Amino acid sequence: MTIRSIGAAWVAAMMMAGWASGSARAQQIPELVPVNPLLSAHTAWFEPVKIYDLKKDHYPLPDSAFPRGLTYEVHSAVGYDLANTIVIQGPARNAAGQRELVIVDTLGNPGITTDTIAALRKAGALPATGKLPIRAIIYTHNHIDHAYGVHGYLAEADRPPCKAADPLVAGPDGAFDVDRDNPNCVAIIAQADIEHGVAQTATVTGTIIDARSSYMYGSFLFRNRVNDGIGPDEKTKVITGPNGERIAIKPSYQLPSRTFANDLYVTAAGVHMKLFYAPSETNDELAIFVPDSRNQTGVTPK
């Protein structure tokens, strides 16, 4: 064997040894990233899932601080999806004697919403059986986890959604009496910029938001991932098809039937509310104020 061939064999042997050691290193399981104890403790706010009765579960307020004689009940389903869905049972009743309902936000997938409705029924926040007497659904803003489970509620409602409003024209501010003006359909209420927000999120800004959210929520941390911080995660509902195939139920959206620009005084299911424009997380964000003096027995409305 020549010196040249010996050198070539030595180089080849060293390359094989390097590959073998590199392969062994690649097969080693990487060390777990330590869990942030604050994030882990925060999980207790939404795991396990819970239906909160906000007349009873009003931490940190003491019982003595909670308003008495309110004419409505309010429940919040927490942990079933990234965001919450809120059910208000008003004092108004339908022909069957059931308390009529206002829904605030709908979760992000109709399949998940359907499952959550079952939990709400079991908790007494919704009628145990039959169609739901929903008078109004309110979107607080356009993000998927708040508005894209709406058809889960509409499929269970005792009336169809009201005709969609013109998405290019803001509805008038002022008063909106759902009980009087829309007795035979479910009013879908939102701030007027919501359609622009939906379109932007689905096109221009969506690609940016998806990438940002993946990093923000730690979506690529397949080991030792805790949660999305603001909630468990954005859930997907998968069902089994007729041939045994797995089918993912897709998020869906319903155009609002009533929009407003700045302020809207709403009466729905006998509950009096003020909706007002509060741009923050999105440009179409709204807040809801339910005044005690307008929804309390023994108090003269102001």
Side-chain angles (χ1 to χ4, degrees):
M1 182 179 287
T2 64
I3 294 176
R4 184 174 180 179
S5 62
I6 293 173
W10 180 84
V11 170
M14 291 301 99
M15 289 179 65
M16 288 296 294
W19 176 86
S21 61
S23 178
R25 285 195 299 270
Q27 291 176 7
Q28 292 177 353
I29 298 175
E31 183 179 353
L32 286 177
V33 175
V35 173
N36 185 316
L38 294 177
L39 182 59
S40 181
H42 180 67
T43 302
W45 285 101
F46 42 79
E47 292 181 2
V49 296
K50 182 174 179 179
I51 305 296
Y52 286 87
D53 180 344
L54 298 185
K55 277 192 174 181
K56 300 175 182 176
D57 305 311
H58 46 70
Y59 175 86
L61 291 175
D63 288 345
S64 59
F66 196 80
R68 302 300 173 186
L70 294 181
T71 59
Y72 62 90
E73 309 289 331
V74 57
H75 294 80
S76 180
V78 177
Y80 294 86
D81 201 4
L82 183 59
N84 305 338
T85 182
I86 296 174
V87 174
I88 301 174
Q89 295 175 312
R93 296 179 181 269
N94 64 6
Q98 298 172 320
R99 299 179 71 170
E100 295 184 330
L101 308 167
V102 176
I103 308 298
V104 179
D105 286 340
T106 68
L107 306 180
N109 182 291
I112 299 297
T113 301
T114 298
D115 292 344
T116 306
I117 288 172
L120 287 161
R121 287 183 187 272
K122 186 175 181 180
L126 294 173
T129 59
K131 290 292 187 177
L132 301 178
I134 301 174
R135 303 300 287 114
I137 294 174
I138 303 172
Y139 299 142
T140 60
H141 62 288
N142 74 77
H143 281 170
I144 183 174
D145 52 325
H146 294 260
Y148 283 66
V150 62
H151 285 100
Y153 276 115
L154 292 176
E156 303 264 4
D158 64 353
R159 65 204 81 192
C162 298
K163 181 181 178 181
D166 186 341
L168 301 180
V169 179
D173 289 359
F176 177 37
D177 191 328
V178 175
D179 299 335
R180 181 192 63 203
D181 299 336
N182 294 120
N184 300 315
C185 58
V186 179
I188 313 291
I189 307 173
Q191 202 277 335
D193 287 337
I194 191 169
E195 300 313 322
H196 180 263
V198 168
Q200 286 289 304
T201 301
T203 55
V204 179
T205 61
T207 54
I208 301 171
I209 291 174
D210 286 347
R212 183 198 68 179
S213 297
S214 295
Y215 283 97
M216 179 173 68
Y217 294 137
S219 301
F220 301 122
L221 297 176
F222 297 108
R223 299 177 67 244
N224 219 26
R225 183 177 179 274
V226 183
N227 54 56
D228 279 355
I230 60 172
D233 53 33
E234 181 57 49
K235 298 183 182 297
T236 300
K237 175 69 173 181
V238 178
I239 61 175
T240 301
N243 298 317
E245 71 275 25
R246 292 170 60 81
I247 302 172
I249 297 178
K250 296 181 179 180
S252 57
Y253 178 69
Q254 179 75 25
L255 286 166
S257 61
R258 180 66 162 87
T259 62
F260 68 97
N262 296 300
D263 300 285
L264 191 66
Y265 295 87
V266 175
T267 300
V271 180
H272 304 282
M273 300 166 280
K274 178 183 179 182
L275 279 55
F276 56 92
Y277 184 35
S280 45
E281 184 183 8
T282 64
N283 289 336
D284 59 286
E285 191 105 18
L286 64 80
I288 304 170
F289 174 52
V290 186
D292 294 342
S293 62
R294 299 276 296 171
N295 297 281
Q296 202 171 4
T297 57
V299 176
T300 303
K302 297 179 180 179

